[in-house]
Structures are given as structure tokens and as C-alpha cells.
Amino acid sequence: MTVDNTFMIKKIQAMKTLFAIYSPLTKMPYIQCDEETFDDEIHLFTELENAKKFCQEMMKQKIPLAIRKLENEKAILQFYNELYQDGVNAVLYHDEINVTRMDLDKIVRLPEPDQNRQKPVSNPLLQLTAAYFFQEARRPDQSKDDPQRNRRLHELEEEMLVNIGRSTVILPVIENPNPEGEESKGKQLGAVVLKNNKNEIFQPVFTDLHEIIRMYPNSVQKFRALNLPFSKLPAQVLKDSKGFVLNPAGFNLLLNRDLLNLIAQRFVPQEEKNSNN
């Protein structure tokens, strides 16, 4: 039976302050899969105290959570847009009394893409499967000898790697001016790199523009974005680089050379492999 949530949808659309539940393990909204509908859901609260109680109850299951305050219409709309990027399709809305499930596209719709512009890179299935994997893999105080959990982790990891292999990612580069007196048809492209606490070099790559902005909020305009199918990514590894780091301000997955080669061999679609030969 279909439930008419028109009143609740209008109520949530009118809210000026909301509290979203985040996972510190992924730096993304905490996502749950409904056991009956298989919807990918997030939690939104109208009251801070209720959000805190929810986090406390979840911590009893060794699931650490955090609360993000959305303070105005712009922040709330941006949050909904992020949910689309993350593959979320439903919201569990907790008001003072009830919990109401609503489809995300009933609350807000993305604007129709401009047909005259290139469609921006987006990887919602990759974001979603990575969220599920890391929410479980990084849970504290879990037994490493639990065969049921290990099988589940293996399944979640495989789903994530499949979507990485099928993805088109964004590699940021810097346009450097040509040396004085040197003529060239185009500017030279310089690599963007990160260093870890061991002084090892990695190159950042991203699932979408939002993730670049999260990482470089004040300097994103300095970069040029190269959209690359994953199959072409291993060829972009610098000589001194250990590999890539995918969404460093998000779930922060290290793609070292061994993992890059594994994904390229096992999870890149055959037609893409053939096109690279």
C-alpha cells in the first residue's frame, strides 16, 4: 500500500535547520540498506538531542557516528545534492515524534542537465559500495576471526572494486605556463600530489567534482580536471609515486600499484581492455 507523505515532504522542505548523521569512518553520510525494500537510506533529525540519542544507541553496536548541522536552505540543498552523488535514494526523517521514510526525489529533484554541456563525472554506485565497505571494515573492536563477517567484508569489497574498475574518475592537474621563449600550442600540465606521514607520494583522484571541492575548497579553480576511465589510470602513475588516493577528503582509499594492477586485470570491463590495446 502506498503511503501519502505529502504533508511530511512539505514539512521537511520548509525546514531551515536539520541534523544529518555522518560516519567518521567514511566522512560521508551514514547509509543503511533497508532489509525489506533494499533502499539506501540516510537519517535526518529535526532535534539535536534525538540525533545524539540515536548516535549513542548505535555506538552500543560499535558503530561510531557523528552529527552534521545543516543551518540554512543552501546547506540543506547542497546536502541533498551530495546524497545523489553518493547513490542514496531515501531519507529517514526523524521529527519530534515519528520516523517517516521518504524517497529522495520526492523531496528535491536534480536540475535537468544542459544538453549543450558535457555531463559531469559522477560515480554514485562507487560511492555507495565504498561507503558500505568502509563502514563495516573500519568498525572498531571487531573480531578478525569471524568467518561470517569476513565473508561479508569480501563481498562488499568485491562490489566496490567492480565499480572502481567500471568508473571514470577525475584526475586534477595544474596548467603551468610555458618556459619563457618556448613556443607551444598548449600549456604544460603538472601533476597534483599528496604526501603521507612517511613522506610517500600519492596522486589524488576523485569520483566527482564535489569530492574535489571537499579536498581543495579554496583552490579548486587552479586545477584542470582530466576525466579518465579507470583502465587508463595506471599509465598516469608518476615515477616516484606509490599510486593514487581516491577521494582523500572522503573515504580515502589508497590505490597502490599492486591494487591498481589487480583491479585492471580482474574488474575492468573487457571492452575497455580491448580499446586500450
Side-chain angles (χ1 to χ4, degrees):
M1 183 176 67
T2 303
V3 178
D4 186 358
N5 287 328
T6 303
F7 172 78
M8 294 302 297
I9 290 171
K10 289 183 177 180
K11 181 178 178 179
I12 193 173
Q13 288 172 335
M15 294 296 297
K16 299 296 188 290
T17 301
L18 288 168
F19 299 93
I21 303 301
Y22 267 68
S23 170
L25 307 179
T26 63
K27 301 184 181 70
M28 295 168 58
Y30 176 69
I31 306 173
Q32 289 180 297
C33 181
D34 187 281
E35 294 182 356
E36 294 183 2
T37 66
F38 299 104
D39 286 316
D40 302 296
E41 306 168 333
I42 62 95
H43 296 267
L44 273 180
F45 286 80
T46 60
E47 306 295 325
L48 178 58
E49 288 306 311
N50 289 340
K52 289 180 178 178
K53 290 177 183 177
F54 177 82
C55 294
Q56 291 167 358
E57 287 299 313
M58 295 296 283
M59 194 59 208
K60 294 178 182 178
Q61 304 175 44
K62 307 296 184 183
I63 300 176
L65 297 175
I67 300 170
R68 174 181 168 187
K69 185 178 182 180
L70 308 171
E71 297 191 70
N72 53 60
E73 291 181 9
K74 182 179 179 181
I76 292 172
L77 180 59
Q78 180 180 338
F79 174 74
Y80 290 143
N81 288 335
E82 291 173 22
L83 296 182
Y84 276 105
Q85 298 290 339
D86 294 339
V88 173
N89 69 321
V91 171
L92 292 176
Y93 177 65
H94 303 246
D95 62 12
E96 300 88 343
I97 303 173
N98 300 311
V99 180
T100 306
R101 182 208 166 278
M102 289 176 264
D103 291 334
L104 179 60
D105 62 5
K106 296 291 193 301
I107 301 172
V108 62
R109 290 183 181 273
L110 287 178
E112 292 294 327
D114 188 338
Q115 299 299 321
N116 297 319
R117 291 189 177 185
Q118 183 180 5
K119 185 178 179 181
V121 170
S122 177
N123 291 280
L125 274 178
L126 170 51
Q127 286 279 77
L128 186 66
T129 52
Y132 281 132
F133 173 67
F134 287 117
Q135 282 177 181
E136 182 58 38
R138 293 170 178 169
R139 279 177 68 188
D141 303 324
Q142 299 299 301
S143 172
K144 295 182 180 180
D145 301 321
D146 182 344
Q148 184 175 353
R149 180 173 184 269
N150 289 339
R151 282 195 299 271
R152 177 60 176 152
L153 279 176
H154 178 72
E155 293 171 357
L156 292 172
E157 185 178 34
E158 287 259 323
E159 290 180 21
M160 177 182 69
L161 295 180
V162 165
N163 285 300
I164 292 176
R166 295 173 177 173
S167 67
T168 294
V169 295
I170 304 174
L171 176 67
V173 294
I174 299 174
E175 290 189 338
N176 297 319
N178 295 317
E180 188 175 349
E182 182 177 319
E183 294 185 2
S184 176
K185 292 183 180 180
K187 293 182 179 180
Q188 295 182 346
L189 299 180
V192 179
V193 298
L194 299 171
K195 289 186 179 181
N196 62 14
N197 54 13
K198 297 180 181 179
N199 217 34
E200 295 171 330
I201 292 175
F202 287 86
Q203 297 159 252
V205 288
F206 301 90
T207 55
D208 52 71
L209 180 59
H210 166 69
E211 290 291 340
I212 300 181
I213 295 173
R214 288 180 67 185
M215 184 66 189
Y216 301 106
N218 300 317
S219 56
V220 67
Q221 68 277 5
K222 297 179 182 179
F223 303 134
R224 176 179 166 188
L226 299 183
N227 300 338
L228 295 175
F230 178 86
S231 59
K232 297 184 182 298
L233 201 57
Q236 301 297 321
V237 180
L238 300 174
K239 179 181 178 181
D240 297 328
S241 173
K242 294 292 185 179
F244 295 95
V245 53
L246 181 59
N247 289 359
F251 53 73
N252 191 42
L253 172 60
L254 295 182
L255 298 168
N256 60 31
R257 292 173 184 264
D258 289 341
L259 184 53
L260 283 170
N261 291 331
L262 172 68
I263 297 172
Q265 292 169 8
R266 290 189 55 195
F267 300 108
V268 169
Q270 189 61 46
E271 58 270 22
E272 285 193 26
K273 293 181 182 179
N274 296 336
S275 68
N276 291 333
N277 294 332

